[in-house]
Amino acid sequence: MSVLVYVQNFGGKLKKQNFELASYASKIAEAMGTDVAGITIGEIDNEELQKLSKYGVSKLLKAGDPSFNTRINKIYTQIVEQAVEAAGADVVVFPNTNAGKAVAPRLSVRLKAGYVPGVTELPSSYDPFIVSKGVFTGKAFANVKVNTSVKIVSLMINTFGVFEKETDLVIEDFAPQIDTTGVTSKVIDKKLSKEGLSLFDADIVVSGGRGMKSPDNWKPLEELAEVLGAALACSRPVSDEGWRSHEEHVGQTGKIIAPNLYIAVGISGAIQHIAGVSGAKCIVALNNDSDAPIFQVADYGILDDAHKVLPKLVEAFREFKKE
Amino acid sequence: MKLLVCISNVPDTTTKVRFKDNNTLFDDNGVQWVINPWDELALTRAVELKDDSSSPVSEVHVINVGTAVTEPTLRKCLAIGADKAFRIDLDPKDSYSTAVQIAEFVKDKDYRFIINGISSGDYNGSSVGGMIAELTDLSSVSSVSNIRFENNEPILERDVASGKEYIATSGTTVLIVQKGFAIEPKIPNMRGIMTARSKPLEVIPSVDAEPLVEYIDFRLPEPKGKVKMIESDNLDELVRLLSTEAKVL
Ligand SMILES: Cc1cc2nc3c(=O)[nH]c(=O)nc-3n(C[C@H](O)[C@H](O)[C@H](O)COP(=O)(O)OP(=O)(O)OC[C@H]3O[C@@H](n4cnc5c(N)ncnc54)[C@H](O)[C@@H]3O)c2cc1C
Ligand SMILES: Nc1ncnc2c1ncn2[C@@H]1O[C@H](COP(=O)(O)O)[C@@H](O)[C@H]1O
């Protein structure tokens, strides 16, 4: 018996989300009276992997063959399947990121294991196994029961938190048997983007909407983000208009994020926008229309012209950071 | 080259979600059904490719696993430009039992791509595409944000944590598409709506498939407390509250 955590490899590095996921797996293992094993795929230093020992992972299977550096869903699924077997796992925990979404459903079919995507908390019961997940794009939650012997869940990043638990971690090289028949896709080129703070990992997100009026007005938002160590986001029309990159679009049809603090400037708060940020622990809205729906979901509101208030807001946070 | 777009029929995004029967069932009373937004974008791009004479795409089919309630949604797909629609007659209970139906259907067909959205707006499974691929033992490419053709060969663009990857494929491949695949959904024009009436919509019986998970009950999130308004000349107060009350700084 064990809990297997999928340790996403970010080009040889781990991120905060890996530690959050390990913490989540570790709490499940504790409740079940068992240990956490991890599987990581592609090249990554053991020194980097040792960081997981702080979060309750006691064994790590490292499928480190460089040929695995690029994700081919069909191959990754086989690797994790064999790791499940090697670790004797009953519960498999993925991140609800693109990487997790690519492999978990395939694994579910391969193992005939029920899969609950997008969970935000620990299971409420282990026998029967019942866990809650978001449904209707953040408008409700469902309790889902898994009847199969192996259970797969994927955790919404940033909803659970990071919990330390010192453990002795053993790293084992793992050489799975891969059947490549039927692998018909091949990566032929790559384009690396500049390494900024990922929206998914950011504790604080500063976001601008159409109320910013023009792409030339983003300077104070960028300053605000810099002062707070925050990532930048935007509403859909802003990215559709090409004011900001599509990478920054949050909402139902963009990224779904759950930062601790979300600062929405000149964003009306349409339901499709809120679908992407309703997991935020705290929302601050700056808008000059008291009827804007964003004020119904915000914790703190400022009713005024963004262009007037933003420079003062940057100053106020800068002062706070100095103290 | 034939494309199949998998269509999920979901409540309009502005629907006020309610439950019935002791919170065990979604209350669909008065609900306006729409094409799942991702699938609408997938279909938009598929039809665009078909209409572009320089691309080898010649036919676009759509498929839905659902009851007769979903037929207006399938008709809309035909109006947007799909050539043929299939409905597998089953009220789906989970992603797995849905995927089994589509996997069974595509077995003896020659689609170049089986296209799925990243998530459906009801149960947010992000599963059906990957499951179809595993059930049929096909390759799947996920996080696809663009498709273009070079010398009649499709090249896919995939978003990964470090940037973008470009992927070549051969044979039938399952795609899971997301933002960027198309930007604005195509609105059916009058002619599309008229011709949709005479296009084929075939109903197919379902095959047996045991669900792997069971939705027991639902709940709505705790209502938010009232927003605290802060004067714009008192921003130090906001900073103080964020730091000491909300504890997020
Ligand atoms: C299927 C579907 C999916 C969608 N998905 C998404 C999605 O993923 N993400 C998303 O964001 N949207 C999405 N939308 C669009 C959504 O419905 C809204 O149209 C959009 O979120 C509005 O963006 P906005 O708030 O920036 O702009 P607007 O609605 O134009 O709001 C601008 C706001 O700025 C305020 N403002 C104006 N001037 C000032 C000023 N000087 N100072 C302060 N405030 C000012 C205004 O009062 C207003 O509230 C989707 C829509 C559909 C139909
Ligand atoms: N009932 C269904 N019929 C056909 N396709 C579906 C159905 N449910 C989901 N899909 C497809 O699978 C994608 C992901 O859905 P899901 O896994 O339910 O989040 C959707 O965007 C559709 O392309």
Side-chain angles (χ1 to χ4, degrees):
Chain A
M1 217 169 68
S2 79
V3 175
L4 183 74
V5 59
Y6 181 85
V7 178
Q8 187 173 342
N9 179 350
F10 294 93
K13 288 270 172 284
L14 297 180
K15 290 192 179 179
K16 189 182 110 197
Q17 53 174 268
N18 296 113
F19 307 134
E20 181 181 31
L21 200 66
S23 305
Y24 180 76
S26 170
K27 296 271 180 199
I28 292 184
E30 235 168 84
M32 294 175 58
T34 177
D35 298 326
V36 179
I39 170 75
T40 177
I41 305 177
E43 284 177 300
I44 182 166
D45 286 344
N46 284 5
E47 197 187 326
E48 183 73 6
L49 292 173
Q50 270 299 340
K51 292 180 182 167
L52 289 162
S53 66
K54 265 218 204 95
Y55 307 96
V57 180
S58 55
K59 180 162 127 179
L60 196 79
L61 302 172
K62 175 174 157 183
D65 191 311
S67 72
F68 298 148
N69 282 357
T70 298
R71 173 163 49 77
I72 300 289
N73 297 341
K74 223 166 175 278
I75 294 176
Y76 272 37
T77 307
Q78 293 177 52
I79 298 174
V80 183
E81 179 194 29
Q82 288 170 49
V84 168
E85 208 168 295
D90 314 289
V91 180
V92 189
V93 181
F94 282 93
N96 195 38
T97 55
N98 280 344
K101 288 176 190 172
V103 179
R106 294 198 72 131
L107 186 71
S108 163
V109 167
R110 232 176 145 84
L111 296 173
K112 279 273 165 0
Y115 168 46
V116 188
V119 303
T120 54
E121 45 192 76
L122 290 169
S124 56
S125 150
Y126 289 88
D127 189 15
F129 190 93
I130 298 174
V131 64
S132 154
K133 78 175 294 280
V135 290
F136 297 97
T137 36
K139 286 189 241 170
F141 295 92
N143 280 312
V144 183
K145 186 167 133 200
V146 186
N147 298 321
T148 53
S149 61
V150 177
K151 288 97 181 158
I152 306 175
V153 299
S154 69
L155 177 73
M156 289 287 291
I157 293 306
N158 242 332
T159 56
F160 187 71
V162 177
F163 302 90
E164 293 202 2
K165 186 188 177 199
E166 237 14 279
T167 317
D168 284 330
L169 170 61
V170 180
I171 300 173
E172 285 176 17
D173 283 324
F174 188 58
Q177 298 296 311
I178 304 299
D179 176 4
T180 56
T181 47
V183 172
T184 57
S185 66
K186 187 170 85 208
V187 175
I188 49 173
D189 200 4
K190 287 184 190 203
K191 196 166 80 194
L192 297 183
S193 56
K194 62 174 190 313
E195 188 62 47
L197 178 59
S198 139
L199 256 178
F200 292 113
D201 287 304
D203 287 326
I204 303 181
V205 173
V206 172
S207 188
R210 199 147 51 182
M212 292 300 293
K213 299 280 156 52
S214 141
D216 304 331
N217 294 336
W218 242 262
K219 192 99 188 96
L221 277 185
E222 288 169 353
E223 275 175 24
L224 185 58
E226 197 181 317
V227 169
L228 290 169
L232 281 162
C234 68
S235 69
R236 173 161 145 179
V238 166
S239 72
D240 284 356
E241 298 280 340
W243 294 2
R244 301 293 298 179
S245 137
H246 285 297
E247 305 297 319
E248 292 182 6
H249 162 199
V250 297
Q252 184 186 350
T253 45
K255 291 190 169 128
I256 296 179
I257 56 172
N260 290 335
L261 174 58
Y262 184 73
I263 304 181
V265 183
I267 292 178
S268 60
I271 198 154
Q272 299 91 352
H273 184 82
I274 299 309
V277 300
S278 60
K281 271 149 221 97
C282 178
I283 297 179
V284 173
L286 168 53
N287 198 301
N288 65 0
D289 173 7
S290 61
D291 290 331
I294 188 79
F295 286 125
Q296 283 159 32
V297 294
D299 298 273
Y300 303 101
I302 305 166
L303 179 65
D304 206 337
D305 179 26
H307 311 288
K308 212 179 89 200
V309 175
L310 269 174
K312 294 198 280 177
L313 200 56
V314 174
E315 266 328 295
F317 281 117
R318 196 169 272 146
E319 277 307 308
F320 171 79
K321 288 285 171 183
K322 266 197 213 146
E323 284 166 20
Chain B
M1 183 179 287
K2 286 202 295 192
L3 309 181
L4 179 68
V5 184
C6 300
I7 302 290
S8 175
N9 176 60
V10 299
D12 177 76
T13 48
T14 57
T15 303
K16 210 163 165 57
V17 172
R18 285 191 205 84
F19 301 99
K20 60 181 182 186
D21 293 2
N22 231 343
N23 288 327
T24 57
L25 275 182
F26 174 62
D27 184 354
D28 60 3
N29 197 357
V31 165
Q32 173 98 33
W33 297 99
V34 297
I35 308 173
N36 186 37
W38 300 109
D39 308 346
E40 198 176 15
L41 293 177
L43 177 62
T44 296
R45 183 72 182 130
V47 169
E48 220 172 76
L49 289 170
K50 186 187 67 166
D51 291 346
D52 175 356
S53 53
S54 70
S55 108
V57 174
S58 55
E59 230 179 306
V60 176
H61 294 178
V62 290
I63 189 164
N64 166 262
V65 180
T67 62
V69 171
T70 72
E71 287 196 2
T73 293
L74 283 174
R75 283 279 169 222
K76 184 167 176 206
C77 294
L78 294 170
I80 288 171
D83 301 292
K84 196 167 178 184
F86 299 92
R87 177 172 72 80
I88 304 187
D89 192 27
L90 177 78
D91 189 9
K93 288 287 177 283
D94 76 341
S95 312
Y96 176 76
S97 51
T98 305
V100 168
Q101 309 304 325
I102 299 175
E104 185 65 26
F105 172 83
V106 297
K107 249 186 185 160
D108 53 358
K109 312 280 192 303
D110 59 346
Y111 293 113
R112 181 65 173 80
F113 292 117
I114 300 164
I115 310 176
N116 295 266
I118 183 133
S119 167
S120 59
D122 44 15
Y123 299 103
N124 306 122
S126 302
S127 299
V128 170
M131 287 180 169
I132 295 171
E134 193 62 39
L135 285 159
T136 47
D137 203 24
L138 291 169
S139 279
S140 56
V141 184
S142 42
S143 321
V144 175
S145 56
N146 200 1
I147 181 172
R148 64 190 156 83
F149 284 85
E150 244 170 50
N151 306 324
N152 278 345
E153 279 306 314
I155 296 180
L156 306 167
E157 178 185 297
R158 159 167 97 176
D159 290 346
V160 290
S162 59
K164 300 204 178 283
E165 289 174 347
Y166 299 90
I167 297 179
T169 59
S170 57
T172 304
T173 308
V174 176
L175 306 188
I176 294 126
V177 306
Q178 61 183 36
K179 187 180 159 59
F181 201 69
I183 299 294
E184 288 280 342
K186 182 167 185 251
I187 313 284
N189 56 24
M190 212 26 157
R191 198 176 141 264
I193 295 167
M194 297 306 284
T195 50
R197 292 190 191 149
S198 55
K199 286 182 181 172
L201 191 167
E202 198 177 307
V203 181
I204 299 170
S206 59
V207 293
D208 283 343
E210 275 297 309
L212 298 179
V213 303
E214 197 183 320
Y215 283 79
I216 313 177
D217 56 16
F218 300 89
R219 66 178 193 284
L220 297 173
E222 300 291 326
K224 266 250 174 187
K226 230 173 124 46
V227 55
K228 245 185 217 173
M229 295 307 286
I230 290 163
E231 293 301 324
S232 59
D233 51 11
N234 194 12
L235 295 174
D236 291 340
E237 173 69 359
L238 174 71
V239 175
R240 192 186 67 76
L241 287 169
L242 289 176
S243 149
T244 58
E245 188 180 68
K247 299 192 171 58
V248 288
L249 285 186

